[in-house]
Amino acid sequence: MAPIKDETVDALRNLVNKLESRVEQLEAKLSQADGGSPARKSQGNSGSVRMILMGPPGAGKGTQAPRIKDKYCVCHLATGDMLRSQVTKKTQLGREAKKIMDQGGLVSDEIMINMIKNELDNNQECKNGFILDGFPRTVAQAERLDGMLHDQKQKLQHAVELQIDDGLLVSRITGRLIHPASGRTYHKVFNPPKETMKDDVTGEPLIQRSDDNAETLKKRLSTYHQQTSPVVTYYQRTGIWKPIDASQEPGQVWKSLLGVFGEDKSSSTTGSLLSKIGLRN
């Protein structure tokens, strides 16, 4: 029997990951039909998920955050998108932020915290919890966030960091495709859409960001590491920091996230398809 080529194994892994993802979607629908949303079935009486999702550009936040949002029925607060939305809607906070940005300044921590508070107070999707993506980026912001949540009688449960070697990110990010409306991400090679340059869910066009190139990425990574290291240390001290190896295929990263949330997928009725066909130990 001829040896199986690495390319064949990679293709099989990609196919199986898609199958596992589809099985999870079907299981979620079944759980809803059996008497409750996936959040209620999986979370029991624990109430909500309140978390920060950290990671360098291209680490997979855009892939995993929508899955967390859908499974636990929480809101995904990507602060860049939230800021642009407030400016577009011309809210008071949006007008304040736009004035600062037009002058070339940085939006203050107070404005950002108030934007987050506004979402938690008024966005119905946030009633079961939230995923914060892109904030906090400094220890001062982390402290102000904790203070605001304390006033709301809430507390962060998880600060998850998706970790990946910088060298691997270049190949990932230069092929990244994005659905602007939802934030869903794809990759030309590693996670292609079902139809070329179209979102799997809506069929709307995908885009490639102009700054998704190697030179720009290196600058962004340098800035990210400088900003994030003190924030990671802060959450390590509070005991809620959890690292996840983001160099794994998306299906394995998802299983690691479920482990952070206290869910053991090993007892799933479907099991791991990769293990069953001998492509994972």
Side-chain angles (χ1 to χ4, degrees):
M1 180 178 175
I4 299 176
K5 295 181 179 180
D6 289 343
E7 294 85 349
T8 304
V9 172
D10 289 340
L12 286 170
R13 282 198 177 106
N14 188 43
L15 175 61
V16 169
N17 283 326
K18 288 185 176 181
L19 289 171
E20 286 188 321
S21 178
R22 180 58 179 154
V23 168
E24 287 174 356
Q25 291 173 6
L26 292 172
E27 286 180 331
K29 288 183 179 180
L30 286 172
S31 71
Q32 285 180 294
D34 287 342
S37 70
R40 287 195 296 269
K41 293 286 285 186
S42 58
Q43 285 291 98
N45 295 321
S46 60
S48 63
V49 169
R50 298 181 298 277
M51 68 175 293
I52 292 167
L53 189 60
M54 297 183 286
K61 297 191 300 296
T63 298
Q64 302 300 337
R67 298 185 74 174
I68 300 170
K69 174 183 175 180
D70 291 344
K71 182 173 180 62
Y72 296 103
C73 301
V74 298
C75 62
H76 175 205
L77 302 180
T79 50
D81 295 340
M82 188 169 57
L83 183 58
R84 285 187 287 272
S85 175
Q86 293 282 334
V87 171
T88 300
K89 293 176 181 177
K90 298 182 180 180
T91 64
Q92 181 178 345
L93 289 171
R95 289 195 297 270
E96 291 177 18
K98 186 176 187 303
K99 183 178 179 181
I100 294 169
M101 291 188 293
D102 287 347
Q103 295 172 351
L106 295 174
V107 177
S108 69
D109 293 350
E110 182 180 2
I111 290 177
M112 293 307 302
I113 289 292
N114 284 334
M115 283 188 179
I116 294 168
K117 182 178 183 298
N118 181 67
E119 290 291 327
L120 298 184
D121 289 342
N122 300 303
N123 186 343
Q124 283 299 307
E125 288 188 339
C126 296
K127 66 179 182 179
N128 286 334
F130 58 84
I131 310 158
L132 262 180
D133 177 357
F135 191 94
R137 295 189 177 184
T138 68
V139 171
Q141 289 175 349
E143 291 172 342
R144 292 188 77 126
L145 176 64
D146 281 348
M148 183 270 287
L149 291 174
H150 180 268
D151 292 342
Q152 301 263 96
K153 294 182 170 55
Q154 297 186 42
K155 188 176 181 180
L156 278 175
Q157 297 167 316
H158 312 288
V160 175
E161 183 185 12
L162 300 181
Q163 298 180 326
I164 184 170
D165 184 81
D166 287 359
L168 293 176
L169 287 174
V170 175
S171 59
R172 271 195 181 187
I173 208 165
T174 52
R176 183 167 65 170
L177 303 171
I178 298 173
H179 178 238
S182 69
R184 280 185 290 274
T185 59
Y186 303 84
H187 193 279
K188 292 178 180 178
V189 177
F190 305 123
N191 182 34
K194 296 174 183 175
E195 189 173 348
T196 303
M197 293 302 294
K198 290 188 178 181
D199 178 50
D200 288 352
V201 177
T202 65
E204 295 171 346
L206 301 175
I207 65 167
Q208 185 163 20
R209 284 172 42 163
S210 59
D211 59 351
D212 278 355
N213 61 74
E215 183 178 348
T216 303
L217 174 60
K218 289 176 183 177
K219 294 178 182 178
R220 291 168 66 194
L221 287 172
S222 176
T223 301
Y224 169 79
H225 291 307
Q226 290 173 5
Q227 289 180 334
T228 306
S229 180
V231 178
V232 167
T233 301
Y234 176 84
Y235 286 119
Q236 284 175 329
R237 288 172 179 164
T238 65
I240 65 171
W241 175 77
K242 312 281 193 324
I244 287 181
D245 179 6
S247 67
Q248 307 171 96
E249 68 262 23
Q252 275 299 107
V253 174
W254 176 240
K255 288 182 174 64
S256 298
L257 280 166
L258 292 177
V260 167
F261 303 140
E263 298 200 29
D264 183 4
K265 291 291 286 183
S266 63
S267 61
S268 170
T269 55
T270 59
S272 170
L273 294 175
L274 282 177
S275 296
K276 289 181 179 179
I277 63 175
L279 292 177
R280 181 185 298 151
N281 293 328

